[in-house]
Amino acid sequence: VRLVESGGGSVQLGGSLRLSCVASGFRFGEYAMAWVRQSPGKGPEWVAAINSGPGWPTYADAVDGRFTISRDNAKNTLYLQMNNLKSEDTAVYYCAKDPGRVGVGRRLHEYDAWGQGTQVTVSS
């Protein structure tokens, strides 16, 4: 299993970024996927998840209405569209593979594969 994130970078307050995560080594469309972030000096924080197949998304309250998780199963790719970025969104963002088809309520330690992360920095 391999997960490779890209799309991070530096952006101003209120700006947008789209993260991508290309998956390989497993049947991508059959598993739920998630985004998790870690800010400096803080523990990891679950951001969003999407079920297998066409996907049904769920979001952390901190990003609901600003972030959109989506997937393209034909391209084995997970996305995170981030709009109206805030300083508190500064973090390393990781994509994670869920062990099952439905990702609701998953604890972080239950994800069974992780990418290397991509840095997002939001500045004024």
Side-chain angles (χ1 to χ4, degrees):
V1 173
R2 189 176 185 212
L3 302 171
V4 180
E5 302 97 334
S6 62
S10 296
V11 64
Q12 291 191 327
L13 283 170
S16 298
L17 282 174
R18 188 176 82 154
L19 306 183
S20 299
C21 171
V22 177
S24 61
F26 65 104
R27 295 186 177 186
F28 177 74
E30 296 183 2
Y31 293 90
M33 297 291 295
W35 287 98
V36 175
R37 68 186 181 186
Q38 186 161 18
S39 302
K42 297 184 180 180
E45 175 189 19
W46 177 84
V47 173
I50 187 166
N51 291 346
S52 64
W56 183 263
T58 54
Y59 300 95
D61 290 344
V63 306
D64 198 7
R66 300 187 297 121
F67 289 12
T68 302
I69 186 172
S70 61
R71 63 192 301 160
D72 185 335
N73 294 333
K75 295 182 178 179
N76 287 352
T77 302
L78 177 73
Y79 301 101
L80 185 68
Q81 177 67 45
M82 305 185 295
N83 297 329
N84 190 22
L85 282 161
K86 304 177 179 181
S87 57
E88 53 262 42
D89 296 319
T90 294
V92 178
Y93 284 73
Y94 301 89
C95 68
K97 175 186 170 293
D98 194 286
R101 294 180 175 269
V102 178
V104 177
R106 189 71 70 191
R107 298 180 181 181
L108 295 181
H109 72 272
E110 295 177 297
Y111 294 118
D112 58 10
W114 296 80
Q116 83 289 349
T118 186
Q119 176 71 48
V120 171
T121 302
V122 184
S123 59
S124 57

